[in-house]
Amino acid sequence: MSTRTSSGTARTTLVFALITAAALGLNPYRAADAATPPSRASGAPGAAKGALPTEDVVAAVKKNEAAAKLLPADVRQRGSLTFAASVSNPPSAAYLPDGRTVVGVDADFSAAVTKALGLELKREVVGFEAILPALGSGKYDVGTGNFGVTEERRKTIDFVTYINDGQGFAARADSDLKAVTDLTRLCGLKVAVNAGTTFERTLEKNKGRCGEAGKPAYEVNVYSETGAIWMSLQQGRSDVVMNTINGVRYAVTQQKNLKFLNEYRRLDVGFAFKKGTPLAPAFQAAVNGLKADGTYDRILKKWGVTASGIEKSQISPPEIPAPTK
């Protein structure tokens, strides 16, 4: 598996996955006959059923002078920030049908924060598993990819939180699974996850629980692209998908024959920076400013993720404790 994906390669791989899925009748992101959740319909007036919302809720954002003053002098002089963005998991980030325009929760918050700081946003699409290691090189200022704040990541990465998401499960509608409240419910099953995620680490870390319970171990199927995990589920190569709570809730409304099982745990999600970044205070102030002027809530409503709202942005808070089961 490569450790770095260029913008063109990532997009080509994603497009291939979408074409393959469409040929099988398994579009992993949208289905023309899928029911649109009421929250999504209200967030995208007049949008086609199943379409990603395109309402511009960031256009009215004004420069937050107090937040901008917290920026390092060299960044103010440069006038821009370079984001390394993972774009494959709606509603966090996805492409519109033109294959170029990036939309989603991450995209809107990135745009809103940079506007509030009076800076230009420069985005480069990068493979999810390559973003955090690449931040230390200085090529990118910020990383986005629905990155959950964990103790392991806090050792090398600084975060500025903007939502709360976490880990959830989905299965085919004919599955006997009702909920995965204990990881031993997965014993003997095949679980699909994305590479380099908290889902992969959680499952690998807890594999021994099945043996302790006298049950066969679960199998972790790791994929580089989000579309591939859903195809593996639909085709029967996996029994369960573990993904972001918002991503799972979105996917089951856009595909036939799937069901949302449950939330397993919550995690704070943040913009990612190299350790010791001087950008964190400015980003924190910008996010809190967006909460104060109403932009924050408009973004959440647009994407149907109001349950992911946080009271205030924090810099690298402690990891929310994991379930003990």
Side-chain angles (χ1 to χ4, degrees):
M1 180 183 302
S2 65
T3 57
R4 186 163 188 144
T5 304
S6 68
S7 175
T9 302
R11 188 173 303 161
T12 299
T13 305
L14 178 59
V15 171
F16 176 78
L18 292 172
I19 291 172
T20 303
L24 295 168
L26 303 174
N27 189 323
Y29 298 152
R30 299 193 308 277
D33 56 355
T36 304
S39 60
R40 189 164 306 284
S42 63
K49 186 181 288 187
L52 291 162
T54 56
E55 176 191 4
D56 189 347
V57 294
V58 176
V61 173
K62 306 296 184 185
K63 184 176 180 180
N64 182 330
E65 296 291 349
K69 287 180 181 178
L70 298 175
L71 288 168
D74 63 321
V75 174
R76 289 200 303 271
Q77 185 175 8
R78 187 202 321 161
S80 65
L81 287 171
T82 302
F83 284 66
S86 171
V87 182
S88 64
N89 197 19
S92 293
Y95 289 107
L96 288 181
D98 63 12
R100 298 183 305 274
T101 306
V102 177
V103 298
V105 177
D106 288 351
D108 278 346
F109 274 114
S110 296
V113 167
T114 50
K115 283 195 71 174
L117 294 176
L119 300 172
E120 176 189 358
L121 167 63
K122 296 182 177 180
R123 180 187 292 112
E124 182 173 334
V125 177
V126 181
F128 177 89
E129 67 273 24
I131 293 177
L132 297 185
L135 290 174
S137 71
K139 181 176 181 180
Y140 308 109
D141 298 303
V142 194
T144 60
N146 203 281
F147 288 112
V149 180
T150 67
E151 293 306 314
E152 180 182 356
R153 286 174 173 170
R154 290 204 313 155
K155 294 174 183 177
T156 57
I157 298 293
D158 282 341
F159 293 94
V160 173
T161 61
Y162 56 98
I163 60 168
N164 175 278
D165 195 347
Q167 303 174 341
F169 291 97
R172 290 185 301 279
D174 60 0
S175 172
D176 292 333
L177 274 174
K178 305 299 181 185
V180 185
T181 53
D182 184 325
L183 292 180
T184 58
R185 300 277 182 98
L186 299 172
C187 297
L189 301 179
K190 298 177 181 178
V191 189
V193 297
N194 286 117
T197 58
T198 60
F199 323 117
E200 180 184 9
R201 282 191 283 276
T202 294
L203 293 175
E204 292 293 348
K205 179 181 178 181
N206 292 282
K207 257 188 172 178
R209 292 188 183 184
C210 291
E212 293 169 1
K215 299 179 180 181
Y218 50 73
E219 179 181 315
V220 184
N221 294 339
V222 181
Y223 298 92
S224 294
E225 294 292 347
T226 301
I229 69 174
W230 296 109
M231 282 192 286
S232 77
L233 183 64
Q234 290 280 20
Q235 294 170 353
R237 290 180 285 111
S238 297
D239 302 298
V240 188
V241 159
M242 187 179 189
N243 200 258
T244 66
I245 294 167
N246 291 336
V248 170
R249 287 191 182 279
Y250 178 84
V252 299
T253 68
Q254 305 302 302
Q255 300 181 61
K256 293 180 178 180
N257 304 319
L258 296 185
K259 63 181 179 181
F260 178 79
L261 295 179
N262 61 290
E263 297 184 8
Y264 178 66
R265 68 174 298 195
R266 283 272 172 176
L267 284 170
D268 290 315
V269 172
F271 293 105
F273 308 84
K274 67 179 180 180
K275 194 72 177 175
T277 179
L279 293 170
F283 266 69
Q284 180 188 33
V287 173
N288 287 330
L290 296 174
K291 286 190 65 66
D293 70 18
T295 302
Y296 185 92
D297 288 338
R298 286 191 288 273
I299 293 174
L300 297 187
K301 182 179 179 182
K302 171 184 174 179
W303 294 102
V305 294
T306 54
S308 284
I310 57 176
E311 290 186 9
K312 63 180 180 180
S313 176
Q314 301 181 75
I315 298 174
S316 297
E319 178 181 351
I320 297 173
T324 55
K325 295 182 179 181

